[in-house]
Amino acid sequence: MGTVHDVVNRAAAPATSLHVYSPPLTSMTYYDAETLTPTDTVAVAPERPVLGPAAGAYALHPAHRRAAP
């Protein structure tokens, strides 16, 4: 079994959380927030990629980062 985790934004500005899975997920398990026991597992429908194969490398490359306002 994997790790259940919370994602928290402590900044005043909105944040984006990007989760990338390789290979792509085929199912997703949901857990009870209090007991952390599995409540449901559902199939994940395959989707066509929105971006090309080089988009991740381009977005993550330090030369393409924007300075903070």
Side-chain angles (χ1 to χ4, degrees), residues 5-66:
H5 64 276
D6 289 329
V7 178
V8 177
N9 175 18
R10 298 192 192 283
T16 299
S17 174
L18 179 64
H19 299 247
V20 180
Y21 300 92
S22 182
L25 294 179
T26 56
S27 65
M28 182 87 165
T29 302
Y30 293 88
Y31 295 84
D32 181 276
E34 293 181 13
T35 65
L36 302 181
T37 56
T39 59
D40 194 18
T41 298
V42 297
V44 174
E47 297 181 19
R48 285 186 34 204
V50 175
L51 303 173
Y58 178 85
L60 297 174
H61 192 282
H64 301 290
R65 292 188 185 146
R66 288 192 240 173

